[in-house]
Amino acid sequence: MHDIRMIRADGAAFDAACARRGLAAAAPAILDQDAARRAAQTALQEKQARRNALAKEIGQGKRSGADTSALEAEATALRDDMAALEAEAASLDKTIFDTLAAIPNLLDAEVPDGADEHSNVEIKRWGTPREMGFTPKQHFELGEGLGMMDFANAAKIAGARFTILRGKLARLERALGQFMIDLHTGEHGYEEIIPPLMVNDASVFGTNNLPKFAEDLFRTTDGRWLIPTAEVPLTNMAAGEIYAEKVLPLRMTALTECFRSEAGSAGRDTRGMLRQHQFRKVEMVSISHPEHSDAEHERMTSCAEKVLELLQLPYRRMLLCAGDTGFGAARTFDLEVWLPGQGMYREISSCSNMRAFQARRMNARFRAADGKTVSHVHTMNGSGIAVGRALIAVMENYQQADGSILIPQVLGRYMGGLTHITA
């Protein structure tokens, strides 16, 4: 959500920033509506003052026996005028609010220009893809070969974009989630949260999923929304709060089921479990002082990288360009893991600094150490990481020529000492 005061101060700069996202100039229309709203509010205040004065005059006139009919007629007309002005101001206020809510966050200056992922910039690369010595298989070939990844039964039960995991492969997925949550809570200082998996309209709006992305979500018959990621409930824990400056940053993590309709993904990644309606993910959320949000964003991204490094999975960090940065983000780092079965890097984590964009939507603030100044916090969220995609990466990178899968050493204690998964 954008601050109207910023647009009043420099509408041209606001439009220039929006143009980086390919948006047409919006400031002139917003400022015209804002001027009309303020004029209506001023007129309303003037009429309110006149009505108060009339009330005194009418009272004095009646006490002295004077004819007050003309004054009473004016008061009646004022009431009608005030009702019309209140309706006009409320309508303009809603129009401005809806307009601002539909405009994406402004990008940080260092975000590169570009229309799509082809303009993303590689920041670092870690690890070297393993020389297999044989033609590597994709995860669904491996999973079906092991008899532990069942797409046919999942489709029978639920339809497309669902998967059933069996036996040791199911345990491996569970082990990955437990390993990640233990790492973030035990070593990275995040507080573990078990949040609701269904949220209300206000929460989905607060994390900028509504109104623009309603079709990407699943909604229950009683009007709640299934969470697309734990970012939604974790971040909204700050909604309406005023924190003491000294408690920041707040760091939270959760391992949850996530639900997405994949409305815009027709024909993409239709085989396997790379893009599912239901999946598990470890999410990290930070509520930060604005002056420290860059450092907190870097820290969060490093925490996600640590997961991949401990799993010995080659990855690269990408700074997303203007056209590929999400609606609510000012800057995003994507971590892309090497998948030998596909012969390419694929996204496994996305860590974004939202600045005060979400905080304004949910009115999340902090009080400065002086005890007086109240400002919006900055919010950050990141995958730490997507469990299903980590399973895919482990399967493909640790596959053997006979179709078996080695267990990464760091997962040994979660797998009961198992070292291989075989058919």
Side-chain angles (χ1 to χ4, degrees):
M1 198 74 177
H2 298 287
D3 188 344
I4 186 68
R5 293 171 297 181
M6 176 183 66
I7 303 175
R8 289 175 191 154
D10 195 341
F14 179 79
D15 280 343
C18 289
R20 295 195 64 206
R21 286 191 179 265
L23 301 177
I30 294 171
L31 292 175
D32 285 348
Q33 293 163 352
D34 182 51
R37 176 183 61 179
R38 290 197 286 173
Q41 290 170 335
T42 299
L44 183 61
Q45 292 168 355
E46 291 172 349
K47 290 184 182 294
Q48 178 72 53
R50 176 56 183 159
R51 188 182 70 171
N52 293 340
L54 278 173
K56 292 181 180 179
E57 291 179 36
I58 291 169
Q60 291 171 352
K62 286 187 174 181
R63 286 192 293 272
S64 65
D67 181 8
T68 61
S69 57
L71 295 175
E72 291 174 13
E74 183 182 354
T76 299
L78 275 175
R79 282 196 297 273
D80 293 340
D81 290 346
M82 288 173 66
L85 285 168
E86 286 175 347
E88 180 185 358
S91 176
L92 286 166
D93 196 56
K94 183 178 185 306
T95 298
I96 294 168
F97 183 90
D98 290 346
T99 300
L100 292 176
I103 298 174
N105 201 356
L106 305 185
L107 300 168
D108 286 358
E110 63 267 32
V111 172
D113 290 329
D116 54 35
E117 67 273 11
H118 296 100
S119 296
N120 295 341
V121 175
E122 184 175 320
I123 301 299
K124 65 177 283 189
R125 188 175 293 218
W126 186 93
T128 302
R130 165 182 153 221
E131 288 292 337
M132 295 286 188
F134 57 90
T135 302
K137 296 178 179 178
Q138 295 198 55
H139 70 281
F140 49 84
E141 298 171 302
L142 292 163
E144 289 178 324
L146 291 167
M148 299 177 192
M149 189 174 282
D150 190 342
F151 300 103
N153 262 316
K156 178 182 70 177
I157 295 167
R161 295 194 187 278
F162 289 93
T163 307
I164 292 173
L165 297 176
R166 298 176 181 272
K168 294 172 183 176
L169 208 53
R171 182 169 186 172
L172 179 57
E173 207 239 25
R174 175 161 55 91
L176 283 162
Q178 291 302 118
F179 156 66
M180 294 172 199
I181 204 76
D182 285 352
L183 177 67
H184 294 317
T185 56
E187 296 187 24
H188 296 157
Y190 286 85
E191 179 186 12
E192 183 174 3
I193 305 291
I194 299 178
L197 300 185
M198 294 185 291
V199 293
N200 56 26
D201 286 356
S203 295
V204 185
F205 176 82
T207 47
N208 47 264
N209 299 94
L210 287 182
K212 186 175 176 62
F213 302 105
E215 68 171 6
D216 294 330
L217 309 179
F218 288 112
R219 196 173 195 184
T220 65
T221 54
D222 65 356
R224 294 181 177 87
W225 302 85
L226 299 182
I227 63 167
T229 165
E231 171 202 350
V232 178
L234 294 184
T235 309
N236 274 280
M237 289 172 66
E241 301 291 336
I242 301 178
Y243 295 106
E245 181 179 1
K246 65 182 180 181
V247 308
L248 301 178
L250 299 174
R251 299 179 180 126
M252 298 169 281
T253 187
L255 168 60
T256 67
E257 299 291 336
C258 304
F259 307 89
R260 294 183 186 173
S261 71
E262 297 292 348
S265 301
R268 296 171 59 194
D269 300 312
T270 54
R271 291 209 62 188
M273 56 179 292
L274 194 65
R275 198 178 295 274
Q276 300 272 277
H277 290 311
Q278 174 187 327
F279 57 95
R280 304 180 80 208
K281 183 154 73 78
V282 173
E283 187 74 7
M284 302 176 291
V285 163
S286 291
I287 311 296
S288 170
H289 190 292
E291 292 179 4
H292 305 146
S293 71
D294 281 338
E296 187 66 19
H297 184 209
E298 176 62 32
R299 182 187 189 278
M300 174 181 284
T301 307
S302 297
C303 290
E305 290 175 336
K306 186 66 173 179
V307 173
L308 299 175
E309 291 170 10
L310 289 173
L311 290 170
Q312 293 288 302
L313 295 173
Y315 70 88
R316 62 184 187 178
R317 184 200 290 202
M318 307 295 289
L319 173 60
L320 300 195
C321 72
D324 205 28
T325 301
F327 181 89
R331 180 180 64 186
T332 297
F333 294 124
D334 269 7
L335 303 184
E336 297 179 349
V337 68
W338 175 253
L339 297 183
Q342 293 191 20
M344 62 189 301
Y345 287 92
R346 296 297 303 267
E347 182 214 330
I348 195 169
S349 173
S350 188
C351 298
S352 296
N353 191 338
M354 318 303 264
R355 303 294 180 190
F357 187 79
Q358 292 179 331
R360 279 192 289 267
R361 294 171 84 97
M362 62 181 67
N363 200 26
R365 297 171 292 170
F366 73 98
R367 192 181 305 279
D370 62 14
K372 299 177 182 178
T373 307
V374 176
S375 306
H376 288 103
V377 297
H378 280 193
T379 63
M380 277 131 276
N381 62 80
S383 309
I385 54 178
V387 180
R389 293 196 174 195
L391 176 66
I392 292 170
V394 167
M395 290 175 67
E396 294 198 11
N397 281 278
Y398 282 84
Q399 65 179 289
Q400 304 300 300
D402 62 359
S404 64
I405 298 168
L406 288 178
I407 304 298
Q409 186 175 3
V410 74
L411 298 181
R413 68 189 182 98
Y414 298 96
M415 295 295 293
L418 190 69
T419 58
H420 290 71
I421 294 178
T422 57

